[in-house]
Structures are given as C-alpha cells and as structure tokens.
Amino acid sequence: MLENAAVTAFAALGVLVAAYFTYGRFLGRVFGLDPRRATPSHTLRDGVDYVPTRIPILFGHHFASIAGLGPILGPAIGVIWGWVPALLWVVFGSILIGAVHDLGSLLISLRHRGRSVGEVAYYLMGSRARLLSLLIIFFLMSVAMGAFCNTLADMFVNYNPDAVIPSAGLMVVAVLFGLTVYRLKVPLIPATVVALAIFAGLIVYGVERPVVSYAWFCSPKTQALLEEAKTARPEMGRPAFARPYGARSAVEFFQARGESQAVAELGAIAQPGTVLWKVNYAWIAALLGYAFLASILPVWLLLQPRDYINSFQLYVALLLLGAGLAAAAFTGSQFAQIDAPMLRWNVPDAPPMFPLLFVTIACGAASGFHSLVSSGTTVKQLDRECDAVPIGYGAMLTEAALAVLVIAACTAALSRADWGDGGLYAGWSAIGGGGLAKQLSAVVRGGANLMSQVGIPVPLGSTFIAVTVTAFALTTLDSATRLLRFNVEEIGRSLRISLLTNRAVASFAAVLGIGFFAVVPAGKALWTLFGTTNQLLAGLALLVVSVYLYQQRRVVWCTLIPMLFMLCMTTWAMGWNLIKFYEQGKWSLFITTVIVLVMAVWLVVEGILAFLRGPAPHHAVEDDAVVADAVPTETVATP
C-alpha cells in the first residue's frame, strides 16, 4: 500500500487539510487573533505599502512570494535519502514548524505596527538584537536573490527562452489589472478571468515564439547558422536544435556538427567576452532594473496583482499533478508505483541525512525567508487579524502540498533507470551536485509524465512546468527586493542614517546588494550557505516569536520546541559545512560561515537574556478585549 504513490500522497494531503482545521485554529486562539483589532493596513494606510486587501488577492501574493523554487528544488534533491524521511519532514515539518513560524512572524509584526521580525527584536530584546537580526537578514536576502538573478538569466538564455514573453507580458497585465480593480472598480472575478485568459494566451504565444536573446549578441554569420539550425532535419546520434531554442542546445548542436567558430563565439561556458557571458549580464541588469521598479511602485499596482495572477498558474499545476496521480492509480499506470527506496542511508558522495535533510528541504517544510514575507509585505496588506490563519498558516500548508506532489513526481513518475546505477539519483554528484538543470529535469519530466495521464502531451506538460518554475523564481525576486528595501530602511533607522530611510535610496541599496552577489564570483560561491542561513533565520524568527509570547504570558511551547529543533539542526549543519570548507580550503565560505554563526549565537544569547528578565508585568500585557480603532466591516479596495 505504501508503494502506491497516489495513496501515500493523498493521505499526506489529507493530514495537511486536517491540520489546518485543527492546529491552525488552535494557534489562532493561542496567538489571540482578534477580527475587531485594527491592522496596520488600516491604521498606517498610505496607498503604497500599507493597503487593505481581500483574502484571495493577498493569499495569491503571499503564496507566490513564499513558494518560488524552494518547494520544487528542495524535495527533488532531498528524496535521494529516501522518500519516507522527505515526506515526513515536509508534512510534519510544515504543520508543526513551518506554518507556525509563518503565522507567528505575522502575529508579532501585527502587534508592532507592521515592522519586520528584525525590527521587532528591538522592542523585545534590545538594540543589539535588532542590528544583529537586520544584518543577518540583509546578508541572507542579498545572497539568495543574487543567486536567483543568475538562475533566471540562465533559464531565459540556456533553457527556457519560451518563458520570456509570458514573464514580461505578465508585468503589463498586472499593472492593467491593478488599475482596473483598484481605480476603475471593476469586480474582482471578471477582472481575474480576463487577466488569466490573457496570461494563458501569453504562455501559448511564448511557446510558439521563444525569445532567443543570445542571438542578439551574435555575429550575422552565427545568426544565420542559428536560423538554419531551426529548420535542420534531425540526424541519428546527433542532438537536434528544437524549441525553445536554448543556448545550451545551440552549443551542443554546433559542437556535433563541427561549427567550431560558432561554438567559440557563443561560449561553451559563460567566459568573459563570449556571447553567453554578455547576454547573461544583460539579463542580470534587466532583472535588477525590474526589481528596483517593483520595489518602489505602489504594491497594488504591480507586485500584488502580478503575484495574484501568477498564483493561479501554480494552482493549475497542483490540480493537474494531483489529477494525473489519481488517474495513474485508477488506470494501473507504472507512474502510480514508487520506484525510489523508502530509506537510503548510504548515498554515494552524499552528506549525512542528519542534519542536511532539514536544510536541503526548506520551503515546503520550514523556511526563514517566509518570516520576511509575513512581516514585510503581507502584514502591511492584511485586512483583518482573523485573515492571518488562512494566509499565514494556510499558504504554508499549500506550499507543503506542492512539495508532496513534487516528491511523488520524482519518486514514481520517473523511470526505474533513474533510480538505478548510472541514473539521475544514482549518487549525490548526479542530482545534488549536478546543477540547476539536472535538479529541475527530475521535476519537469516527472510532472509531465503525471500530466500525460490526464491527456496533456508530454512536451506541452514539460513546457508548462518549466514556465511555471521560471515565473515563480521571478516572483520571489521582486517580492524579496521590496523586503530588502524595508530591511535597509530599518537599518537606516537603527543607525540613524536618514538617507537610507528614503524609499528610492533604500531600493537602490537593496539592488546593489543583490547585484554584488549576482556578478562577483566569490559572491556566487556563497550560495552554498543559503540553505543553512535560511533555516538559521527560521530558528531565530521563532526565537523572537517565543520571547513575545513569553512576555505576554501566552502559551509558548508551540514555538519554543520548533525553535530549539531548528537551531540545533542548522547549527549542526553549519558545523559540518565548516569542517568541509576548512578541509577544502574554501576560506571565503569558511570565514563567512563563522561570521554568520557568531552573530546568530550572539542573538540567541540576547534571547536567553530576554527570557531571564521574565514576562511583562500584568498591567503591561496586552488586553485582547480592548480594541482600538475597529476595522471597518467592508474592505476598502482603493489604495
């Protein structure tokens, strides 16, 4: 029975649904969420960042922002240790840790006028804790988004030129949607239907008209060779040049046919002076420019509607993967049976399962980045406090559902050969160290095979999933840049540097931080630290939430136990990494890890001191029965 992927996956999804209606509601009572209490979106409403927003739109923004590549790549790698530990961590990690973390971060921000977790640390633990938190957050976000810029450029150039038109077109659709709903007062449902229809058309058009951006930087001779290659007949034993006409495919095509001059011009790897090097940096510049605009424009005009519309793409992917899995089980397809081992201790070349599983699978189970979204953009748009449970807790469980289906796609919908000797999951070097392309290939092929069970051709299914992945990487980039802008503004207030509190200046500083890690080779190497620092941030955010609950004399075990688990696992993982960095002579990674670890330990000490000071006096504890400035009964749609 356990080897049936459909039974196992749907049982896991059932547990997630049950947890929402039981533990999620319990946490809502423990945290004292009150629908009568005025939220920052009303008390600080400015039409730019603070905008009261209806649940469907805000859920879409929050879900799209926290999802990104995390719940796709993490599980695709983590199943190499066996599908049972990966599935258990996703299901119970999200219920007991990840969703609690997201909802708790939203709570403390609500209680502190929409400030971020780092800023809230000042009010709970002191000025040193605030500065430490803000610096850790700045480093984490800059590293992660720098890597995302490289990833997006790599995908647009080498693998998915067909995603360019849908991604760029959605920005225009989002602006029109924002103006239509918020300014022209068009009802949400018809506006959504029209926007989704246009977006679907953009996806189809993008598949038919991929934007081969690297060709713009080629010589006329190489451009002519590329046009000829598109119509060339396939030859036995040689790679074809087919849609979406990625640069990697072009290089392989020319290498097989002896076009050495074209290969040298394009560049087998993106070395300085080659076409791939030039177009990669051109895309990074364009992405940073977009991120800057998304950071300073009113949230209702671009960021919020873009995420809302984009979230439907992921909803469709969830439905199609679930339906494909059910159809495979009903028809007795080979894709209904799990080929992967239940547990795999001795994976060739792999790091130990404990603690690395818990930092490899982050989004989908628990992720510190979510605390920044919850206390950054989401809290400033929350209409009523009771909306925090479906958005803060529910969106995390929805992300876990995606991770469950990714696990099914990678363990059941691939071939048996992928799990045998020489296959995709033969060892760590094949999947964990094989780069983004290999990691995504497992999800794309497995997902397309599942979609084929409901009549969707495999090539179309592959394109749909690839475009979905690309779109959500871009969603994470624009949301994170805005969050980093908030972080820079808070650093400015902390250090009393008024210039950094200016929205445009803070956005420019955020883009500079991201750009540094996107273009500097040493900065790219620091991506290795993202998994551990991200989970470390989750533990530190839970620490801040726990201090708040303790000071307010509320139940604290529901955040304290997850905090201890996350801090222990991430410290263990960072210690393991330190030993490897030292042995391999990777001094930039070694020194950076030490600095981050020292700041984290210092912050934990500040948290312990806050606990030792005891809870707040009874007269200082917030009275949930006293609610100032009651929230209007209807959401005001205009910013």
Side-chain angles (χ1 to χ4, degrees):
M1 183 67 73
L2 288 177
E3 299 298 323
N4 188 302
V7 171
T8 302
F10 287 118
L13 296 179
V15 172
L16 293 173
V17 172
Y20 173 80
F21 288 104
T22 54
Y23 198 51
R25 291 183 175 180
F26 165 75
L27 290 172
R29 293 192 297 271
V30 167
F31 291 166
L33 297 173
D34 191 334
R36 298 170 299 159
R37 186 190 298 269
T39 60
S41 69
H42 289 278
T43 59
L44 301 173
R45 181 172 180 167
D46 62 2
V48 177
D49 296 316
Y50 293 86
V51 179
T53 305
R54 286 168 281 192
I55 288 180
I57 296 178
L58 185 54
F59 185 94
H61 159 72
H62 184 76
F63 178 50
S65 297
I66 67 173
L69 294 177
I72 297 172
L73 288 180
I77 300 171
V79 292
I80 198 169
W81 288 295
W83 65 267
V84 170
L87 186 66
L88 290 177
W89 169 231
V90 164
V91 173
F92 293 104
S94 63
I95 293 171
L96 300 174
I97 302 178
V100 177
H101 161 274
D102 294 10
L103 181 58
S105 301
L106 192 53
L107 164 75
I108 60 173
S109 184
L110 279 170
R111 294 288 187 267
H112 292 84
R113 297 168 60 84
R115 295 181 172 92
S116 74
V117 169
E119 184 76 1
V120 171
Y122 167 74
Y123 296 94
L124 300 177
M125 295 185 286
S127 57
R128 290 190 303 269
R130 170 175 62 178
L131 186 57
L132 286 168
S133 299
L134 293 176
L135 291 176
I136 291 173
I137 290 169
F138 183 85
F139 171 78
L140 167 71
M141 298 280 282
S142 298
V143 170
M145 293 310 107
F148 265 60
C149 275
N150 272 295
T151 297
L152 282 163
D154 190 36
M155 295 176 76
F156 284 148
V157 174
N158 287 308
Y159 303 105
N160 293 108
D162 50 356
V164 174
I165 287 178
S167 299
L170 181 57
M171 299 173 194
V172 179
V173 174
V175 171
L176 295 176
F177 180 89
L179 292 172
T180 299
V181 172
Y182 285 105
R183 292 303 191 203
L184 301 181
K185 308 296 185 182
V186 174
L188 179 62
I189 293 179
T192 301
V193 171
V194 172
L196 291 177
I198 296 174
F199 185 37
L202 288 170
I203 294 175
V204 174
Y205 187 77
V207 172
E208 293 298 320
R209 296 286 189 274
V211 178
V212 187
S213 55
Y214 60 91
W216 304 340
F217 295 81
C218 292
S219 64
K221 181 179 178 181
T222 301
Q223 289 179 353
L225 288 174
L226 286 169
E227 290 301 318
E228 293 176 8
K230 292 178 182 178
T231 57
R233 291 184 178 181
E235 298 180 18
M236 185 69 67
R238 291 185 175 183
F241 186 55
R243 284 192 179 93
Y245 306 127
R248 191 60 54 203
S249 176
V251 170
E252 292 174 356
F253 179 86
F254 290 142
Q255 283 177 333
R257 284 158 178 77
E259 297 286 353
S260 57
Q261 185 175 347
V263 172
E265 182 181 350
L266 287 171
I269 57 175
Q271 293 178 334
T274 63
V275 166
L276 294 187
W277 182 84
K278 294 175 184 176
V279 71
N280 182 71
Y281 280 90
W283 269 113
I284 288 175
L287 290 167
L288 291 175
Y290 163 71
F292 178 83
L293 289 176
S295 175
I296 62 173
L297 289 175
V299 69
W300 59 269
L301 183 60
L302 175 59
L303 186 68
Q304 183 196 92
R306 185 192 179 283
D307 292 350
Y308 169 67
I309 297 168
N310 204 36
S311 66
F312 283 90
Q313 190 176 6
L314 197 51
Y315 301 152
V316 171
L318 283 169
L319 289 173
L320 290 176
L321 290 173
L325 193 58
F330 183 77
T331 59
S333 168
Q334 61 175 332
F335 299 135
Q337 294 300 312
I338 297 177
D339 297 316
M342 295 179 65
L343 187 62
R344 197 177 177 199
W345 289 107
N346 299 315
V347 180
D349 305 320
M353 179 192 304
F354 289 93
L356 271 299
L357 172 67
F358 303 99
V359 298
T360 300
I361 302 180
C363 297
S367 170
F369 174 72
H370 295 189
S371 67
L372 307 182
V373 178
S374 293
S375 65
T377 56
T378 300
V379 68
K380 295 175 176 62
Q381 302 172 66
L382 199 72
D383 181 35
R384 299 180 302 164
E385 282 200 355
C386 58
D387 296 347
V389 173
I391 292 169
Y393 198 83
M396 179 64 237
L397 297 189
T398 306
E399 186 179 14
L402 172 62
V404 168
L405 293 174
V406 168
I407 290 173
C410 294
T411 58
L414 297 175
S415 66
R416 292 182 182 272
D418 285 304
W419 286 95
D421 293 338
L424 189 60
Y425 284 96
W428 182 257
S429 58
I431 182 68
L436 176 69
K438 278 195 174 182
Q439 294 158 9
L440 286 178
S441 69
V443 182
V444 171
R445 287 197 292 118
N449 287 336
L450 287 180
M451 289 183 181
S452 70
Q453 303 302 297
V454 290
I456 297 176
V458 170
L460 180 59
S462 298
T463 298
F464 177 78
I465 294 176
V467 171
T468 300
V469 169
T470 305
F472 273 86
L474 190 58
T475 295
T476 303
L477 174 65
D478 56 24
S479 295
T481 306
R482 197 178 192 94
L483 296 173
L484 196 55
R485 186 201 102 201
F486 295 153
N487 178 263
V488 172
E489 290 174 355
E490 290 172 346
I491 290 176
R493 286 192 289 270
S494 175
L495 299 177
R496 298 183 180 180
I497 303 175
S498 58
L499 183 63
L500 292 180
T501 62
N502 178 273
R503 186 163 73 238
V505 173
S507 295
F508 185 70
V511 168
L512 281 181
I514 295 171
F516 171 80
F517 288 105
V519 302
V520 177
K524 297 176 186 178
L526 293 176
W527 170 248
T528 309
L529 299 179
F530 173 68
T532 50
T533 52
N534 180 49
Q535 298 303 72
L536 180 64
L537 178 60
L540 296 176
L542 284 167
L543 170 64
V544 178
V545 176
S546 298
V547 170
Y548 169 79
L549 293 175
Y550 177 68
Q551 291 184 354
Q552 296 299 318
R553 299 178 184 270
R554 293 188 175 277
V555 175
V556 74
W557 60 263
C558 53
T559 58
L560 192 61
I561 295 174
M563 176 204 76
L564 292 173
F565 178 85
M566 293 303 295
L567 289 179
C568 288
M569 286 297 160
T570 51
T571 305
W572 185 3
M574 293 186 87
W576 187 89
N577 280 336
L578 274 175
I579 295 172
K580 292 299 179 183
F581 295 154
Y582 179 81
E583 292 175 347
Q584 297 167 6
K586 296 180 178 179
W587 299 113
S588 61
L589 296 176
F590 181 87
I591 294 171
T592 306
T593 302
V594 169
I595 293 173
V596 172
L597 194 54
V598 168
M599 288 194 296
V601 171
W602 192 351
L603 187 58
V604 169
V605 170
E606 296 289 343
I608 293 172
L609 293 176
F611 272 103
L612 293 177
R613 286 193 290 269
H618 282 286
H619 64 83
V621 177
E622 64 186 28
D623 184 357
D624 289 328
V626 178
V627 182
D629 302 324
V631 178
T633 55
E634 293 184 359
T635 304
V636 182
T638 55

